Amino acid sequence: MSPRLHDVIIVGAGPSGATAANLLAQQGLDVLIVDRSQQPSAQLPQTCLGLRTSLLSKLGVDGEIFAALEVPKPVRFLGAEGGFDFQIAVEPSGSDTGYQGMRLNRTYFDQSLIQSAVHHGAAYFCGLQIEQFIEQEGGIRGVRCRTVRGVEDYHARAVIDASGKSALLANQLGLRDEGQKLDDRNAVFSHYIGTDFAQLLPNGGMTVFASEGGYVLLAPMSGQRVSVIAVMADSQAAFYGNDRKLFFETTVGAWQALRCAIGRAQQVLPILPVINHTSICRHFNGPGYFIVGEAAAFSDPFISNGLAFAMDSGELAAQTLIDAWQDQGDLILPRDRTAYDRQTRELLQLRQQEAHDWLDGIAARRLVMACADPHLPWIVPFALLNLLFGAGFKYEGELNRQGTALLAAARSEYSNFVSPV
Ligand SMILES: Cc1cc2nc3c(=O)[nH]c(=O)nc-3n(C[C@H](O)[C@H](O)[C@H](O)COP(=O)(O)OP(=O)(O)OC[C@H]3O[C@@H](n4cnc5c(N)ncnc54)[C@H](O)[C@@H]3O)c2cc1C
């Protein structure tokens, strides 16, 4: 039992939680941020549309963002039975273009955000899994976890649920609505640690293997950790019913070299489904609580700007608490809870609109032409970079003749998947 009543407890030290913790701690509030992972938890590199320099500098990570940006690595496309095997690389053309759309090393960036929050005075406990929020006197008053010492409660004047896809509080309170399916694909993934993957990946980049009716993505994470994602059209995946393991093993098994690498590697995650639907909370605040980031809403993993929304919504929750503290000397939530909900929805819509406007330009049409499969998630950031920075595709091998032929072969192979018969 924590003897202390904290001002604010935040569950989840991802970008939304770390942003809120940082801003609250800067105001001298007693903030405890907890995460079940030992940070940094492994994260795939992501695009970073819509990050605001003003917020990054408020958080003290405006310098760090540049260290977290990566020059895009090549992507290798490979067909079954040697149909094709080529790499695409994109070169950013200059440094004056900022970081919109660049590839962000999330593991590094998330760690910088936490470090900065701690530097500003937030207390940070990692490796602590919260089981539930404590409901008392008609509001949320803290969190409960189980440790080797037994059940432990931590109390606070206000809590922020920033638990990402766990959506801990929204699930507890039944606030989450599942929206529409994102597309007609079905995907499962797992993580492995092994040395044999290096020979399958192009110099730190990703590999896309086209298999019968689907494809496999191999994405390097930090160290020797690799994410292996098996993707298939719903119509084909239906054959496997709920047997994720069979679906995964059959899809990745089509590539013998990958099968061998997996056989010699250590599996560090179970085979999990990839989220393929939107979700949104009916309320983002209530007595004693706020819900931010992906715990509040999830719209699209690839082209929207979940990271920017996570940070913006973390800022909004923090600012609302700070205003209450400065105006009233307490952390009582705003009288008008509906206004807060509306502000969060507006943030989400704004971010989505920005992403769609960006993609709806001429870039999107060229993007479709540029990608073997327009639905391929991992190529999207690379192709966008290509369009943004005006860099041409660079094939390893003969530039035009061979590249065009290879792309045509790849398109035809992937088109079987995109429009399954
Ligand atoms: C496959 C995929 C690709 C994506 N690509 C992009 C992209 O390219 N660009 C982009 O902008 N966005 C992308 N997103 C969205 C982006 O990753 C999220 O919007 C962002 O990470 C949300 O940040 P967050 O802080 O809300 O949650 P998270 O970053 O998920 O952090 C949540 C934290 O809560 C912790 N936690 C969870 N449950 C508990 C518990 N019970 N107890 C304690 N701690 C807990 C977790 O360990 C985690 O550290 C992608 C998402 C997915 C799934």
Side-chain angles (χ1 to χ4, degrees), residues 26-84:
Q26 284 191 34
Q27 297 302 314
L29 291 167
D30 169 5
V31 182
L32 171 64
I33 179 165
V34 297
D35 201 292
R36 66 182 172 194
S37 311
Q38 302 290 341
Q39 294 291 331
S41 53
Q43 293 273 3
L44 286 170
Q46 294 184 356
T47 51
C48 49
L49 289 173
L51 294 189
R52 284 180 295 119
T53 309
S54 56
L55 178 56
L56 295 170
S57 48
K58 240 202 284 184
L59 296 170
V61 294
D62 44 338
E64 293 299 320
I65 181 87
F66 290 102
L69 290 174
E70 292 180 350
V71 171
K73 306 272 185 358
V75 184
R76 177 184 178 194
F77 290 88
L78 189 74
E81 289 153 20
F84 56 90

Side-chain angles (χ1 to χ4, degrees), residues 191-311:
H191 289 176
Y192 294 86
I193 296 180
T195 46
D196 288 9
F197 293 106
Q199 67 207 39
L200 310 179
L201 295 161
N203 197 19
M206 292 180 250
T207 293
V208 184
F209 171 77
S211 67
E212 179 74 34
Y215 55 84
V216 179
L217 297 169
L218 224 57
M221 304 181 82
S222 45
Q224 288 170 345
R225 191 177 177 117
V226 168
S227 178
V228 182
I229 307 158
V231 190
M232 223 178 245
D234 277 342
S235 51
Q236 311 243 5
F239 173 77
Y240 300 98
N242 291 328
D243 194 342
R244 272 184 225 149
K245 191 163 177 286
L246 185 64
F247 168 20
F248 184 82
E249 284 172 356
T250 311
T251 315
V252 303
W255 183 9
Q256 203 201 348
L258 176 59
R259 205 169 57 227
C260 294
I262 285 179
R264 283 192 283 271
Q266 181 197 358
Q267 186 173 4
V268 289
L269 258 194
I271 296 168
L272 298 170
V274 173
I275 302 175
N276 190 8
H277 53 78
T278 59
S279 66
I280 187 158
C281 287
R282 284 191 295 286
H283 300 292
F284 307 104
N285 75 139
Y289 74 84
F290 292 87
I291 304 176
V292 297
E294 200 169 306
F298 176 78
S299 55
D300 185 326
F302 304 119
I303 58 162
S304 83
N305 21 28
L307 179 60
F309 171 70
M311 296 181 69

